[in-house]
Amino acid sequence: MPHTPLPRRSAEEQIRLEAILRDVFEHKLRFNEVLGLKVESFDPVAPSLSFGMRPELIGHYLHGRLHGGVIAAALDTVGGFAVTVGIADKFCNETAEQIGHRFGRIGTIDLRTDFLHQGIGKKFTATGRVTRLGGRIASVQMSLENESGLLIATGSAAYVVS
């Protein structure tokens, strides 16, 4: 029997969902607000968040570079964001409220960060790519680049989704 694709949510419902997710990731998750994270893209293949460099985020006062904890937090957050966007895409027939209910069950269970270059820049963009979205566990690869495209760090993580 041929597979019938599920009907996609309406354009209006998608806009509403994105507004809700933007509010959650930029404001309701208060630590994200402290970091200054902003949604850059809801692209299900590579959703991204960005933030500007500020004195409060400096980890080495002599060199003015980004704190490693900020790097790891940004990677973890974009990983969770990528899973959320992936779930919204997978369950494309569900309403914003239904996706919101699913979001409440997402949690980090493993996170690895590889620091590749000093965190120097004016703006940083974190991107997540879901490599597997199962019924219980999601796996994500993440990257953090500065405004010139220099790869600052990469990460991989697993998230519980059920």
Side-chain angles (χ1 to χ4, degrees), residues 108-127:
T108 309
I109 54 177
D110 187 52
L111 174 67
R112 176 189 168 94
T113 303
D114 292 309
F115 301 95
L116 306 175
H117 286 97
Q118 294 182 21
I120 296 175
K122 292 183 173 83
K123 181 181 177 184
F124 299 93
T125 301
T127 304

Side-chain angles (χ1 to χ4, degrees), residues 79-153:
F81 181 63
V83 170
T84 303
V85 171
I87 286 171
D89 191 54
K90 181 178 180 178
F91 297 96
C92 60
N93 62 324
E94 293 187 353
T95 66
E97 286 76 21
Q98 289 170 310
I99 297 300
H101 180 71
R102 289 181 183 279
F103 170 75
R105 296 184 292 215
I106 297 172
T108 309
I109 54 177
D110 187 52
L111 174 67
R112 176 189 168 94
T113 303
D114 292 309
F115 301 95
L116 306 175
H117 286 97
Q118 294 182 21
I120 296 175
K122 292 183 173 83
K123 181 181 177 184
F124 299 93
T125 301
T127 304
R129 291 172 184 82
V130 175
T131 55
R132 183 179 186 282
L133 181 55
R136 300 182 65 105
I137 305 293
S139 299
V140 185
Q141 297 289 313
M142 302 87 69
S143 62
L144 182 72
E145 297 180 348
N146 69 9
E147 72 279 0
S148 67
L150 179 66
L151 185 61
I152 304 296

